[in-house]
Amino acid sequence: MASGAIFSSLRRRRSPTLDAFLAPVDLSDVALVQTLLSVAREIVSCFSNRCFFFQRKNSLSLIRRVEAFQLLLEYLRDSDSGSSCLPPTAVLCLKELYLLLYRSKILLDYCAQSSKLWLLLQNHSISGHFHDLNQEISTLLDVFPVKDVLLSKDIREQVQLLQKQSRRAKLFIDMKDDALRILFFSFLDEFENGRIPDSAELRSFYVEKLHIVDADSCRTEIEALEEQIVNHEGDIEPTISVLNGLVAMTRYCRFLLFGFEEDELGLENGSRKKPKKRMITREIAETFFTVPKDFSCPISLDLMRDPVIISTGQTYDRSSISRWMEEGHTTCPKTGQLLAHTRLVPNRALRNLIVQWCTAHGVPLDPSEVMDAMGEGFTTACPTKAAVEANRATAKLLIQQLAGGSQAGKTVAAREIRLLAKTGKENRSFIAEAGAIPYLRNLLSSPNAVAQENSVTALLNLSIFDKNKSRIMDEEGCLGSIVDVLRFGHTTEARENAAATLFSLSAVHDYKKIIADEMGAVEALAGLLREGTPRGKKDAVTALFNLSTHPENCGRMIEAGAVTALVGALGNEGVAEEAAGALVLIVRQPIGAKAVVNEEAAVAGLIGMMRCGTPRGKENAVAALLELCRSGGSVATERVVKAPALAGLLQTLLFTGTKRARRKAASLARVFQRCEHASLPYGGLGVGYAFADNSTTAREASFAGDVSVPMSISVL
């Protein structure tokens, strides 16, 4: 009867305690009655005077039934003959009633506190839950042994009346509410067909019919719908794609109907109002934090459902790497190496480990599902035309505000463009096409810290779409303004996001030299690498790595102090891999090798990474030492081969390192051996020293392809 799952589709907000789903045991009849009475009273006191915007009739009907049970329980408590020596059947019914009362409380609380739009969308489903509860109450009353329990005439009549009412009750769906639901979907259909609904009709629906009267309440509705997307389960309607469309439409209405005034109050004079993150349940949030790093896709950072290996040996989730390739990329996202082919090989060993971990932690894993239970659908569901058109209409409103609104309004618009550009290449494309970039560039020099931070982050998110990189670089003064934010930004986050923007833009080879030549850019990145937060150092080192892949930038990076900063970063676990990877590229040129040799801590730092670094860090460290010997002449070679414990570390790496690390270690070991047996101290082992496994031509052809560093960009 009530032993089923408690409304799987209603698991939102805070979870009820375990006691809600277990009937009380080892209680005397009196204690059982008292416990039930407390629950019934709580329901009546909390909800009898509550205003239910939707499901009003169903809610009031359920509350009246609980009131009838309250009268019965009060009589049993006060009557010695009624509460003592209850028949076994009556005790079982009361224990079943305990579950029904708690389910009633959960359902009523859900209807009282949930988003209006979500209740509207779930009108049929929630009405069905009320009907199911009523049916179970009816069954319980049919089983309850009224004749065997000593009840007064009035109470007996109340119970019998409740029995009759429950038997006659039918599924009730409020037709007025359902008409609103149909109207809601009709607006979505208009967007789907490329038309924008009439603003007067939208105002009538949201303001007059739903009483969503200001920007704040509209924003609350949007966040509630986004929460449902995160919590979405496969058997719940509407689908994620439809929900995304409804969110986009409601976001459009927020600015169309309520403008920017409500937000301006919180953004005047630069007061900080951070963009709200979408809401997620605590259980899902805890899952995010406990997924092992090796089980997460380097692209999406989510738990891999179908791990596959690409030609560079890196592992990604199939859906993420497939999208990457479909977008026209021909390199490995993590290492930057060119892909020899596009075949995807299942990583069955890792897959088995993930399955074991999921089983142990109760995490659902279905390899046939494209979207997982941890919210991936929010960012990866294919957008419907309705969502795209609604977002396009919203972007136009925001750009109009950027063009002619108040300072606070522009700040709000920049924040919303930042959020809109977080997901979907379609959003990033039409935002830029609509002309947002020039206005965002102007805000980069704003004295308002929030405006500056949101505008540079919006440009970062837009730059992830490849076509937008050229739009940003071609916009006069935009690169210089981004560098100015990196150098003098009002907030730490603004400076960090400016560095990340430079990293994103430098993915285009032709832009690497332009960025490096921009006054103060490399110096600011080096400064952020030395003194920034952990995240700032990560942004800076990845940007410096990208710039180092252009051979002509080597001298500029030495001059700007980037080499010194990279050597110093070798001792920082969070950025050591990337720093060593950048040094590999720099020391391939004699001028770079000389600069690194002049850094006292360089060789010692690389040796330390060979000893204690990650597998990738060890790869980059031994590769940097090898390149230093090749390009740095006898002085560099002598310093490397005389480093303490080098021979032992090379031997260890030859047996335990990755394939690439073993190859580099073998080459460096040959250098070590030849120097040990040379008649003249290290004579002739400079630039001209050749190795069988690396010709000059091959090295030039794969200048950056043999360095292993993470290369992902996060939207913010």
Side-chain angles (χ1 to χ4, degrees):
M1 190 187 301
S3 59
I6 309 295
F7 304 132
S8 62
S9 63
L10 305 184
R11 291 179 301 198
R12 304 291 183 261
R13 305 180 184 278
R14 58 186 182 278
S15 298
T17 63
L18 183 62
D19 295 338
F21 307 129
L22 299 176
V25 295
D26 298 330
L27 293 177
S28 66
D29 295 347
V30 176
L32 175 58
V33 169
Q34 185 61 53
T35 301
L36 289 168
L37 183 56
S38 297
V39 177
R41 282 178 170 173
E42 183 182 0
I43 293 173
V44 173
S45 63
C46 288
F47 300 109
S48 58
N49 295 319
R50 185 72 66 90
C51 178
F52 292 90
F53 197 86
F54 292 117
Q55 298 294 336
R56 177 178 176 79
K57 183 174 179 179
N58 282 328
S59 298
L60 294 179
S61 177
L62 181 57
I63 292 170
R64 285 194 296 269
R65 285 171 171 73
V66 175
E67 288 174 338
F69 280 119
Q70 182 181 344
L71 292 175
L72 170 63
L73 294 168
E74 286 175 346
Y75 178 83
L76 293 177
R77 180 202 61 186
D78 297 335
S79 172
D80 292 337
S81 58
S83 61
S84 60
C85 301
L86 287 171
T89 305
V91 173
L92 287 175
C93 287
L94 291 179
K95 289 185 176 182
E96 190 72 15
L97 178 61
Y98 182 86
L99 298 180
L100 291 178
L101 289 177
Y102 253 111
R103 292 175 63 193
S104 300
K105 180 182 176 183
I106 294 169
L107 183 55
L108 290 169
D109 182 67
Y110 184 78
C111 292
Q113 297 189 44
S114 289
S115 146
K116 292 176 181 177
L117 292 177
W118 180 249
L119 289 175
L120 195 62
L121 294 172
Q122 295 296 307
N123 189 37
H124 285 236
S125 175
I126 297 173
S127 296
H129 286 307
F130 277 104
H131 182 63
D132 291 344
L133 261 178
N134 184 75
Q135 292 293 100
E136 294 186 37
I137 288 173
S138 176
T139 303
L140 183 146
L141 290 171
D142 288 340
V143 175
F144 189 79
V146 178
K147 296 180 180 179
D148 297 337
V149 179
L150 296 176
L151 300 175
S152 68
K153 182 179 179 181
D154 291 343
I155 297 299
R156 190 181 300 275
E157 289 177 352
Q158 284 279 356
V159 173
Q160 291 172 345
L161 178 61
L162 186 57
Q163 283 177 326
K164 292 178 182 179
Q165 291 175 340
S166 299
R167 289 186 193 129
R168 292 198 303 265
K170 304 293 184 183
L171 172 66
F172 175 76
I173 297 175
D174 192 314
M175 290 297 103
K176 291 182 179 179
D177 293 350
D178 211 46
L180 287 178
R181 183 182 66 85
I182 294 171
L183 181 59
F184 193 27
F185 279 105
S186 73
F187 293 139
L188 191 67
D189 288 340
E190 292 220 43
F191 278 110
E192 188 73 29
N193 293 322
R195 299 187 300 271
I196 298 178
D198 182 72
S199 58
E201 293 181 1
L202 290 173
R203 179 176 294 277
S204 173
F205 176 76
Y206 281 94
V207 179
E208 297 172 14
K209 293 184 170 67
L210 296 185
H211 296 176
I212 300 173
V213 296
D214 53 36
D216 187 60
S217 59
C218 193
R219 182 169 51 246
T220 300
E221 291 291 329
I222 293 170
E223 290 168 356
L225 289 179
E226 289 177 340
E227 179 185 1
Q228 300 304 330
I229 294 172
V230 173
N231 292 332
H232 193 274
E233 298 176 13
D235 59 344
I236 299 176
E237 293 292 339
T239 64
I240 287 180
S241 295
V242 172
L243 280 174
N244 277 326
L246 296 173
V247 167
M249 181 177 71
T250 305
R251 185 181 292 114
Y252 166 72
C253 291
R254 170 188 164 191
F255 296 105
L256 175 71
L257 303 178
F258 309 118
F260 300 80
E261 290 77 9
E262 293 289 330
D263 287 294
E264 288 182 11
L265 297 176
L267 292 168
E268 291 175 355
N269 302 318
S271 61
R272 293 184 62 77
K273 187 170 183 179
K274 300 284 283 186
K276 264 193 175 182
K277 294 182 179 179
R278 66 179 185 267
M279 299 166 62
I280 58 176
T281 60
R282 186 175 66 180
E283 293 84 358
I284 293 177
E286 290 173 350
T287 303
F288 281 139
F289 291 120
T290 56
V291 174
K293 182 180 178 181
D294 292 340
F295 294 173
S296 300
C297 176
I299 297 176
S300 68
L301 303 182
D302 290 332
L303 182 69
M304 286 188 279
R305 302 297 179 177
D306 187 8
V308 293
I309 304 171
I310 64 174
S311 63
T312 61
Q314 302 295 329
T315 296
Y316 301 92
D317 197 29
R318 183 184 295 274
S319 60
S320 297
I321 193 63
S322 295
R323 283 196 307 275
W324 171 267
M325 293 177 177
E326 288 167 2
E327 290 174 357
H329 297 288
T330 58
T331 59
C332 172
K334 201 170 185 179
T335 67
Q337 292 177 264
L338 286 173
L339 299 177
H341 55 76
T342 58
R343 291 193 300 275
L344 303 179
V345 180
N347 190 336
R348 293 188 175 87
L350 181 59
R351 164 73 183 170
N352 291 336
L353 291 174
I354 292 174
V355 169
Q356 292 174 19
W357 180 87
C358 289
T359 302
H361 292 79
V363 176
L365 182 71
D366 185 351
S368 65
E369 294 294 329
V370 176
M371 295 168 292
D372 60 49
M374 297 192 304
E376 183 181 325
F378 181 80
T379 57
T380 63
C382 293
T384 61
K385 184 179 179 182
V388 172
E389 292 302 319
N391 284 331
R392 191 190 303 273
T394 303
K396 291 180 180 178
L397 291 177
L398 297 173
I399 293 170
Q400 289 173 7
Q401 186 69 16
L402 283 177
S406 64
Q407 182 59 47
K410 291 179 180 179
T411 302
V412 175
R415 182 190 67 194
E416 294 303 320
I417 287 177
R418 164 186 180 171
L419 296 176
L420 197 58
K422 281 183 68 171
T423 56
K425 63 179 181 180
E426 294 85 0
N427 290 358
R428 297 177 187 123
S429 176
F430 62 64
I431 288 172
E433 289 173 358
I437 291 173
Y439 299 113
L440 292 172
R441 178 209 62 201
N442 292 338
L443 278 182
L444 293 175
S445 58
S446 171
N448 185 310
V450 182
Q452 183 187 74
E453 182 180 306
N454 282 309
S455 59
V456 74
T457 310
L459 287 171
L460 167 60
N461 292 345
L462 290 173
S463 72
I464 295 171
F465 183 56
D466 286 344
K467 290 184 179 179
N468 287 344
K469 289 178 171 54
S470 60
R471 292 188 174 112
I472 294 172
M473 292 294 292
D474 292 343
E475 179 63 34
E476 185 177 356
C478 193
L479 176 60
S481 296
I482 294 170
V483 172
D484 285 343
V485 175
L486 173 62
R487 299 171 67 190
F488 312 115
H490 300 309
T491 67
T492 300
E493 184 170 350
R495 295 191 293 273
E496 292 172 347
N497 291 348
T501 306
L502 294 182
F503 165 60
S504 176
L505 295 172
S506 64
V508 178
H509 182 76
D510 292 344
Y511 298 154
K512 299 180 195 291
K513 185 71 165 59
I514 298 173
I515 293 170
D517 288 342
E518 185 68 30
M519 186 179 69
V522 180
E523 288 88 347
L525 289 171
L528 189 61
L529 179 55
R530 286 192 300 268
E531 302 172 0
T533 65
R535 194 207 132 196
K537 291 180 178 181
K538 196 80 170 178
D539 291 329
V541 76
T542 50
L544 288 172
F545 173 85
N546 246 14
L547 296 180
S548 67
T549 61
H550 196 298
E552 295 181 24
N553 285 341
C554 185
R556 180 74 187 92
M557 295 182 72
I558 296 170
E559 175 189 333
V563 171
T564 301
L566 290 167
V567 170
L570 294 174
N572 186 318
E573 183 179 352
V575 294
E577 291 178 4
E578 295 88 345
L583 289 174
V584 173
L585 302 174
I586 290 171
V587 300
R588 283 177 173 172
Q589 299 187 59
I591 185 176
K594 182 178 179 181
V596 172
V597 168
N598 290 336
E599 296 290 334
E600 292 294 329
V603 173
L606 293 169
I607 292 292
M609 282 192 66
M610 286 180 62
R611 180 183 294 110
C612 304
T614 63
R616 185 186 294 125
K618 292 177 180 179
E619 286 181 10
N620 290 342
V622 69
L625 291 172
L626 176 61
E627 294 296 339
L628 195 59
C629 292
R630 287 171 170 168
S631 302
S634 59
V635 174
T637 305
E638 180 178 1
R639 182 167 295 184
V640 171
V641 299
K642 285 190 174 182
L646 176 63
L649 291 172
L650 288 175
Q651 187 175 20
T652 300
L653 209 55
L654 284 169
F655 286 99
T656 63
T658 63
K659 181 179 180 180
R660 173 176 172 265
R662 293 197 302 270
R663 178 166 53 86
K664 296 295 183 181
S667 296
L668 187 55
R670 287 198 293 274
V671 175
F672 183 85
Q673 291 170 348
R674 294 187 185 189
C675 289
E676 286 287 299
H677 295 94
S679 57
L680 296 176
Y682 316 112
L685 291 175
V687 179
Y689 195 89
F691 294 92
D693 62 337
N694 269 289
S695 67
T696 302
T697 303
R699 286 165 57 198
E700 291 175 352
S702 60
F703 190 70
D706 201 28
V707 182
S708 179
V709 298
M711 295 289 287
S712 59
I713 304 174
S714 298
V715 288
L716 302 162

